Amino acid sequence: MVSLRYATPALMLLLAGCVSGPDHVPPEMPLPAKFGEGGVKSNGDVATAQWWTAYRDQQLNSLVSQGIGQNLDVLQALERINSAEAQVTVAGAGALPSLVVGASQTVSGQMGNLRNQRGATNTTAGEANVSWLLDLFGEYRRSKESALASLDSAYATADVAKLTFLQDLVNSYIDARYYQERIELSKGDLKSRRETFDLTKFQLEAGAASRLDVVQAEGLVQATQAEIPGLETSFRVSAHHIATLLGLPASSLMAELQKGSRQPVFRGGLQAGIPADLIRNRPDIRKAERDLAAATANIGVAEAQLYPSISLSGSISPSYVRPVGGNGGLTTWSFGPTLNLPIFDGGRLRANVDITKSDAKAAYLAWKSAVLSAVEQVENALSAVRRDAQTVEALRAQVKTTQESLELSTASYKDGASSLLDVLDSQRNVSTAQASLAAAVQQMAKDYVSLNVAIGGGYAPDGAKPAAVAKVETVSVKKK
């Protein structure tokens, strides 16, 4: 680096107003006009859509309302916004003049037996230093631009945390109700199988059944008893996780959730919108776009460091001395520009430019990947939700059929027209069909969650969207 104490006003005017690096342009990519199994109508802004209310479960609604402001992951993400806001101040401060003021007071003297010995001397001094690095090539302007984009990214990250919380909470609630349903079904199966076991023992005493029949019936009772503890454990695990999501000790909600409720089933239409909606509504896509904007601004920061820089600096240092028998003062000052020219750096500055360009390309690819992944998630969720109802309907019919078969086989066994094996098989079929139905209802409820999360819905249920998010540029999308 070469440092010169003088720079001509003409050179300053020539360099002023230049901004290095490319300007950020919102990325584009072609997207279809509609999803494969969706419509052609846009959803608009779905950030405030309270889609979980479609389950018509007041307890679930209460948990969501209570937890979105208490979840620790969400609170951490919100706290990182404060850090990003401070970074904006730091980035902008470099382009502003700085002033440092100091003062001192000293007392000095001599001790001894010499004649004419003077007393103590008081010295008061002050100093003021001012400096200003002229942002000729926009290094600090690009730095602030990058910091502002990172601030928007922090807001979007908080929205991602809220959306993740919603998905985790609602899925955990669905799991808890599923395990409660399975527990009730198992208890019903246990009651039925005990009745069969008692009937078999009665048949044995009457000479109409064998000891093998009794053992088989008893074994089915024991197998059913063995299922229940595992289901109860799974319910408790889900309940504990719900409490943790709400920032509470694990067992805090156990009594409340044990009161029980039916499995959640959503009631309402499916509105997936169009692929173009995702770029506006998905906070992870907005975050990726803001990260790209920050990476693009960093190119300008790196390129500005390739060029000369001019700084203005000055200082003034007044001092006042008061010795015994007199006093005096002295003021010194200095002012002047400094020109710094990067000449030999071993290629470090140019390599920094290459690094930032590579980072920007990677950020664009990350944005593109986020968009394509979002489209895939919506397509998958739509496909699942539209077929879940068919599965549930078929399993409900199967449950009715197996229950009728069990009634017929039981009556036939009592009359001695069929064997116990027919009854036991029918009981197994009923148990399997009921368990499959409960699992299908659980999956249908979860697929509805996946669809609404995939379209980016519900992370701002109170309608209070962060101001910084509203400033994010609208990204244009090409339609096929």
Side-chain angles (χ1 to χ4, degrees), residues 411-422:
S412 178
Y413 176 64
K414 289 179 179 179
D415 295 338
S418 63
S419 67
L420 176 65
L421 184 60
D422 294 331

Side-chain angles (χ1 to χ4, degrees), residues 123-156:
T123 303
T124 303
E127 183 177 12
N129 295 300
V130 61
S131 63
W132 185 15
L133 179 61
L134 302 180
D135 195 18
L136 301 177
F137 295 97
E139 176 180 354
Y140 290 107
R141 274 171 284 180
R142 291 301 192 193
S143 293
K144 188 171 183 178
E145 182 181 324
S146 175
L148 286 170
S150 296
L151 175 59
D152 288 340
S153 177
Y155 275 100

